[in-house]
């Protein structure tokens, strides 16, 4: 009977981080060993090569012991718990232990304690070894904190991307149910009248649903699809608006080949209908102007608004989320201006695609 393999396996991303951690620490100790070999090369002339190699090896092993004792024991138990006195005491005791062990070994091997120069005194040797050991521990601590910071940045970046995808999914899911309800009601009325508009409305609604459910799952979509979605949205909104509403669209751009994050322009249009045209029964209007020049996309959406509507902060939740998405997707490559007037609201968005 075969038993399942219960060996725990790290995900690929964690294995990659662990490999980077091992490589960085391995490189650090290779550099430290190289420095010791260069610094203590004069011992080759005072003793044989085996003694010289043994001296360097013992020093590196002692440093490795107190370095990882610091990283995995003193640091989490004392320093990260803000027990600074206990941490300082532990470091000094470990360095003192290193000095005693190293000095006894040097004296046994060579008959004197090895210092920075060939004829260093005992105090010079002890002082040099003490501060150099603190320096090595400081470098290792800096390496540890740097790698932890890098790992945290990767985690933050991953969380940010996941949050971004969640916001896109939320945006896709929050398409106004009243909008769909009214469209279906109008579609039902047209089918009863056997109107020739019914098939066209079904087609536009089908294209919108396909874009929301499938195309918007990608990180980027063709710009022409995004604008086609906006056009369908506008045409379906016309069904539930007053016949007096004037909606104009002006697209001056060659859209072929350019891409954009999905559903990025929708909040501007939703805001215009929600806070403008649907609240103003007479003399309402909407103007949409889109240009694209040398990969610079400019979108201007202006709409009328009732004078009685109280002026709030610039834009609602949809526009607030739009700002966050723009900062994440197009950092330093976008500009969003919202002009809130007495009877007009205008949004100007510029993006370097």
């Amino acid at each position: 009977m075969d038993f399942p393999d219960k060996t725990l396996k790290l995900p690929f991303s964690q294995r990659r981080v662990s490999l980077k951690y091992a490589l960085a620490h391995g490189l650090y100790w290779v550099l430290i060993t190289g420095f010791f070999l260069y610094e203590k090369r004069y011992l080759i002339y005072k003793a044989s090569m085996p003694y010289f190699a043994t001296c360097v090896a013992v020093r590196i092993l002692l440093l490795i012991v107190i370095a990882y004792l610091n990283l995995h024991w003193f640091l989490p138990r004392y320093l990260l718990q803000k027990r600074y006195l206990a941490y300082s005491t532990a470091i000094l005791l470990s360095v003192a232990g290193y000095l005693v062990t190293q000095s006894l070994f040097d004296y046994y091997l060579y008959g004197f304690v090895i210092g920075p120069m060939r004829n260093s005194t005992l105090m010079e040797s002890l002082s040099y070894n003490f501060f150099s050991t603190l320096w090595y521990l400081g470098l290792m601590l800096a390496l540890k904190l740097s790698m932890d910071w890098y790992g945290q940045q990767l985690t933050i970046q991953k969380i940010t991307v996941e949050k971004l995808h969640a916001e896109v999914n939320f945006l896709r899911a929050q398409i106004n149910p009243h909008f769909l309800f009214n469209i279906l009601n109008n579609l039902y009325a047209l089918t009863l009248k056997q109107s020739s508009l019914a098939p066209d409305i079904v087609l536009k609604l089908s294209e919108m649903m396909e874009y929301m459910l499938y195309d918007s799952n990608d990180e980027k979509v063709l710009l022409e699809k995004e604008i086609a979605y906006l056009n369908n949205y506008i045409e379906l909104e016309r069904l539930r608006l007053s016949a007096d509403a004037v909606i104009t669209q002006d697209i001056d751009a060659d859209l072929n080949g350019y891409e954009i994050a999905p559903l990025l322009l929708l909040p501007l249009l939703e805001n215009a209908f929600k806070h403008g045209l649907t609240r103003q029964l007479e003399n309402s209007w909407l103007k949409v102007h889109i240009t694209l020049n040398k990969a610079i996309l400019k979108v201007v959406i202006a709409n009328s608004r009732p004078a009685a509507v109280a002026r709030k902060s610039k834009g609602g939740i949809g526009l607030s989320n739009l700002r966050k998405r723009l900062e994440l997707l197009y950092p330093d490559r976008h500009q969003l201006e919202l002009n809130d007037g007495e009877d007009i609201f205008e949004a100007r968005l510029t993006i370097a695609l």
Side-chain angles (χ1 to χ4, degrees):
M1 180 177 180
D2 293 333
F3 293 93
D5 183 9
K6 296 183 178 180
T7 303
L8 296 178
K9 295 183 179 180
L10 292 175
F12 175 73
S13 58
Q14 294 186 17
R15 294 201 304 269
R16 184 172 57 184
V17 172
S18 300
L19 180 60
K20 289 183 178 179
Y21 182 89
L23 289 176
H25 280 250
L27 179 61
Y28 171 81
W29 290 114
V30 168
L31 292 176
I32 295 299
T33 302
F35 176 76
F36 266 99
L37 291 174
Y38 176 78
E39 182 190 35
K40 302 296 188 296
R41 66 189 184 281
Y42 69 87
L43 292 175
I44 300 176
Y45 304 103
K46 301 186 68 172
S48 62
M49 179 61 72
Y51 284 96
F52 169 70
T54 304
C55 172
V56 173
V58 168
R59 274 172 161 72
I60 295 299
L61 289 176
L62 288 174
L63 278 178
I64 289 177
V65 170
I66 65 171
Y68 289 104
L69 189 64
N70 174 38
L71 294 186
H72 300 294
W73 187 264
F74 301 152
L75 184 66
R77 284 180 172 265
Y78 302 131
L79 185 61
L80 297 183
Q81 301 298 325
K82 298 183 179 180
R83 299 171 60 185
Y84 302 120
L85 180 60
Y87 179 74
S88 301
T89 302
I91 289 294
L92 291 176
L93 288 177
S94 64
V95 173
Y98 168 83
L99 289 179
V100 170
T101 305
Q102 174 193 290
S103 299
L104 290 175
F105 183 81
D106 286 350
Y107 192 81
Y108 171 78
L109 199 63
Y110 295 103
F112 59 91
V113 178
I114 297 174
M117 304 297 291
R118 298 191 182 192
N119 299 313
S120 299
T121 64
L122 178 61
M123 291 305 300
E124 288 176 336
S125 300
L126 292 177
S127 176
Y128 171 79
N129 290 329
F130 175 80
F131 288 106
S132 63
T133 304
L134 289 181
W135 172 250
Y136 296 138
L137 291 180
L139 287 179
M140 175 56 74
L141 181 60
L143 177 63
K144 160 76 172 173
L145 296 178
S146 298
M147 296 194 69
D148 286 349
W149 176 86
Y150 177 72
Q152 289 175 355
Q153 292 301 114
L154 291 180
T155 302
I156 292 174
Q157 184 179 12
K158 181 180 178 181
I159 293 174
T160 301
V161 172
E162 290 177 350
K163 180 182 177 183
L164 179 60
H165 287 310
E167 289 181 355
V168 172
N169 292 333
F170 173 75
L171 180 63
R172 186 167 58 245
Q174 75 171 7
I175 299 299
N176 195 336
H178 296 291
F179 165 75
L180 294 176
F181 181 75
N182 287 323
I183 294 302
L184 292 175
N185 274 343
N186 288 321
L187 179 59
Y188 176 70
L190 291 174
T191 55
L192 290 178
K193 297 177 183 179
Q194 296 185 350
S195 171
S196 60
L197 296 177
D200 185 53
I201 292 174
V202 171
L203 180 60
K204 293 183 183 299
L205 187 58
S206 174
E207 290 176 350
M208 289 183 64
M209 298 302 293
E210 180 183 6
Y211 183 79
M212 285 189 295
L213 295 175
Y214 301 109
D215 293 335
S216 59
N217 287 323
D218 299 329
E219 292 185 2
K220 288 189 176 182
V221 297
L222 290 174
L223 181 57
E224 56 185 305
K225 284 191 174 184
E226 177 80 2
I227 293 180
Y229 177 82
L230 298 183
N231 290 335
N232 287 336
Y233 187 90
I234 291 173
E235 293 304 317
L236 293 180
E237 281 281 13
R238 288 181 190 270
L239 295 176
R240 66 190 189 98
L241 294 174
S242 168
D244 296 333
V246 178
I247 301 177
T248 59
Q249 300 163 256
D250 180 19
I251 301 177
D252 181 17
D254 180 10
L255 307 178
N256 292 332
Y258 287 97
E259 294 182 326
I260 191 172
L263 299 174
L264 195 66
L265 306 181
L266 177 61
L268 298 177
L269 196 57
E270 279 189 327
N271 185 76
F273 280 108
K274 182 179 180 181
H275 300 289
L277 278 69
T278 56
R279 295 191 179 186
Q280 187 174 3
L281 300 179
E282 297 180 355
N283 300 322
S284 59
W285 55 268
L286 170 69
K287 295 181 180 179
V288 179
H289 183 60
I290 299 176
T291 61
L292 180 64
N293 184 21
K294 295 181 179 180
I296 302 297
L297 176 68
K298 294 184 179 181
V299 179
V300 180
I301 298 180
N303 61 275
S304 60
R305 59 180 301 169
V309 176
R311 295 177 62 186
K312 299 180 181 180
S313 60
K314 294 187 176 182
I317 297 177
L319 296 184
S320 176
N321 288 340
L322 174 61
R323 286 188 182 277
K324 294 177 182 178
R325 291 187 65 205
L326 287 169
E327 291 173 0
L328 294 173
L329 294 169
Y330 299 96
D332 302 321
R333 293 165 51 200
H334 76 276
Q335 183 176 6
L336 177 62
E337 298 178 4
L338 304 178
N339 301 316
D340 196 358
E342 292 293 338
D343 56 358
I344 181 177
F345 187 89
E346 183 182 66
R348 292 179 172 270
L349 175 61
T350 303
I351 302 176
L353 299 177

